[in-house]
């Protein structure tokens, strides 16, 4: 089954990583894949362009079906292989609602993380201002406090949407993993750091860990003074 799948991906990309975690959780190891370098602009290649009008990764193909957005690819895998591997979307509507809410809220956390971690990459040198970066950091700190509160409310040992590992964890963990890597002070988001430690050795996450993170476990100290 997995042999009819093809994933174009880049290492260290949260959207790519979440699709890879979903594939592992649904026991779809053995899928075909092509690792493309962001630094070399390989993700802009003709193969990806032919399948994805936005020329982005992840680009996922299963037989003749192409699914380009990472959330869509993850949800497709859960729907197509519902009875296989981990159950990532619960049946109960109220539980589903919380899973979907946390999934979509991940976009806020990811963007605020990008706004600080990649500020110099996004903003040309002549347009950078300390005041703007300070606002970005304040916004990120508030977002971290919000997520810490979610976990605090649900209790120790909880996942993002309850007592079970769900699609909310699949899509959000790759974003949360940037904080310890970039030296975010643990006291800034203690519940998220507990959550990170609880999940980092999960088989699906270890199997899909970013290649350059394996080669260089420590990242820049971008969040050291957050």
């Amino acid at each position: 089954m997995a042999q009819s799948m093809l994933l174009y991906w880049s290492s260290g990309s949260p959207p790519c990583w979440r699709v890879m975690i979903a594939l592992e959780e649904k026991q779809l190891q053995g899928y075909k894949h092509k690792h493309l370098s962001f630094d070399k602009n390989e993700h802009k290649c003709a193969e990806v362009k032919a399948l994805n009008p936005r020329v982005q990764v992840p680009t996922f193909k299963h037989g003749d079906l192409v699914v380009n957005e990472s959330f869509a690819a993850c949800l497709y895998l859960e729907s197509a292989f519902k009875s296989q591997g981990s159950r990532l979307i619960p049946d109960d509507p109220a539980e589903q609602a919380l899973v979907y809410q946390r999934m979509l809220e991940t976009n806020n956390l990811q963007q605020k993380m990008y706004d600080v971690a990649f500020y110099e990459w996004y903003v040309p040198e002549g347009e950078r201002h300390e005041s703007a970066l300070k606002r970005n950091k304040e916004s990120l700190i508030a977002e971290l406090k919000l997520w810490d509160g979610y976990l605090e409310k649900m209790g120790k040992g909880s996942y993002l949407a309850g007592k079970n590992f769900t699609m909310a964890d699949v899509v959000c963990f790759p974003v949360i993993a940037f904080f310890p890597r970039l030296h975010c002070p643990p006291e800034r988001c203690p519940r998220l750091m507990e959550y990170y430690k609880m999940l980092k050795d999960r088989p699906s996450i270890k199997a899909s860990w970013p290649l350059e993170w394996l080669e260089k476990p420590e990242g820049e100290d971008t969040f050291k003074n957050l």
Side-chain angles (χ1 to χ4, degrees), residues 113 116-118 177-185 213 217-225:
M113 183 271 285
V116 176
F118 306 117
F178 270 83
F179 291 95
R181 175 170 173 77
L182 299 181
H183 302 277
C184 179
W213 294 18
E218 294 289 322
E220 303 295 329
D221 60 357
T222 311
F223 294 148
K224 183 178 180 180
N225 298 314

Side-chain angles (χ1 to χ4, degrees), residues 39-98:
D39 291 339
K40 298 177 182 178
N41 270 330
E42 291 177 347
H43 61 297
K44 301 293 186 182
C45 67
E47 287 181 66
V48 172
K49 189 173 183 179
L51 298 173
N52 189 336
R54 296 186 187 277
V55 198
Q56 296 174 340
V57 289
T59 290
F60 177 71
K61 191 171 185 288
H62 181 199
D64 295 327
L65 176 68
V66 177
V67 189
N68 290 319
E69 293 296 324
S70 63
F71 281 31
C74 288
L75 289 171
Y76 165 74
L77 290 169
E78 172 64 13
S79 178
F81 302 95
K82 193 171 184 178
S83 61
Q84 182 170 314
S86 303
R87 187 70 180 276
L88 299 173
I89 301 292
D91 286 328
D92 182 76
E95 293 177 5
Q96 283 184 14
L98 184 56

